Amino acid sequence: MIGRLNHVAIAVSDIEAAAAVYRNTLGAEVSDKVAQPDHGVSTVFINLPNTKIELLEPLGPDSPIAKFLEKNPSGGIHHLCYEVEDIRAARDKLVAEGARVLGDGEPKIGAHGKPVLFLHPKDFCGTLTELEEA
Amino acid sequence: MIGRLNHVAIAVSDIEAAAAVYRNTLGAEVSDKVAQPDHGVSTVFINLPNTKIELLEPLGPDSPIAKFLEKNPSGGIHHLCYEVEDIRAARDKLVAEGARVLGDGEPKIGAHGKPVLFLHPKDFCGTLTELEEA
């Protein structure tokens, strides 16, 4: 069911500093910072030959990554995102298998403009797991 | 400098259960379990079209992932591994930039039979970062 690893998301408190680490120290191709007010984050993408790292910085007072950064002040890996062909079919299969979908279970339009769902970390090896319809 | 994302490593306390989640619930291609006594872990690879997920389970009393699992009993993402062309050149550049290489700074032969180094998480966005000579 799952296809490509679309991205690994890393939450950080200072996205310019994190982008500089990837650009200068690790020598990677790094995008500009983009505010995503609908998602409560700003994003920078690290474009690797086979996938992306998505840097996330809190935007606004109710950012969904604020609590994560309170617990992990140096930053840390926040979630993995896998591509699926049909997100509703994927969701129905997962729910039938007993996995928990976060929120109301309906796909939302994610930061890349495509339908996404998040799955409960405790059902997936302690890993917050996003599915994106590719 | 960094190239492909070689793998995302997820530490788990029960690798058979974790492999079943990826094989059955997420419908991915999952390798057999391999004991890696030199590294204190057993591994299972989830083969995605563009990269791999490496499941890690402690092997033996001094496993390098034992403390991580004490802190994260449900499991969790343990490290990211990027490919580099020349690991000693990469190390020298990183050290010159002020980044900390773990251990004695000399590449070791990793679980894939290739030279690897680990970088200090606090220098890389709270992310334990492995470099592997591709």
Side-chain angles (χ1 to χ4, degrees), chain A residues 13-14 20 51 123:
Chain A
S13 54
D14 180 345
T51 189
D123 297 337

Side-chain angles (χ1 to χ4, degrees), chain A residues 49-71:
Chain A
N50 60 332
T51 189
K52 296 188 292 279
I53 307 295
E54 180 184 70
L55 300 177
L56 302 173
E57 181 188 66
L59 178 66
D62 301 318
S63 174
I65 62 170
K67 278 191 185 162
F68 179 88
L69 285 167
E70 275 173 31
K71 286 187 200 162

Side-chain angles (χ1 to χ4, degrees), chain B residues 68-130:
Chain B
F68 179 89
L69 284 168
E70 275 173 32
K71 286 186 198 162
N72 302 278
S74 303
I77 302 172
H78 185 263
H79 66 265
L80 299 183
C81 176
Y82 300 113
E83 297 179 1
V84 294
E85 280 187 20
D86 181 332
I87 200 161
R88 286 186 170 78
R91 173 200 60 192
D92 293 347
K93 177 181 183 300
L94 290 165
V95 170
E97 299 260 356
R100 287 167 284 181
V101 176
L102 299 187
D104 63 6
E106 281 305 303
K108 302 285 183 292
I109 297 303
H112 311 144
K114 295 181 176 178
V116 302
L117 282 174
F118 281 90
L119 309 176
H120 199 298
K122 291 217 170 164
D123 298 335
F124 294 93
C125 312
T127 302
L128 179 61
T129 300
E130 182 180 16

Side-chain angles (χ1 to χ4, degrees), chain B residues 18-41:
Chain B
V21 165
Y22 272 89
R23 184 188 295 111
N24 302 333
T25 310
L26 292 172
E29 184 196 321
V30 175
S31 80
D32 289 337
K33 176 178 172 178
V34 176
Q36 310 257 9
D38 289 352
H39 298 284
V41 293

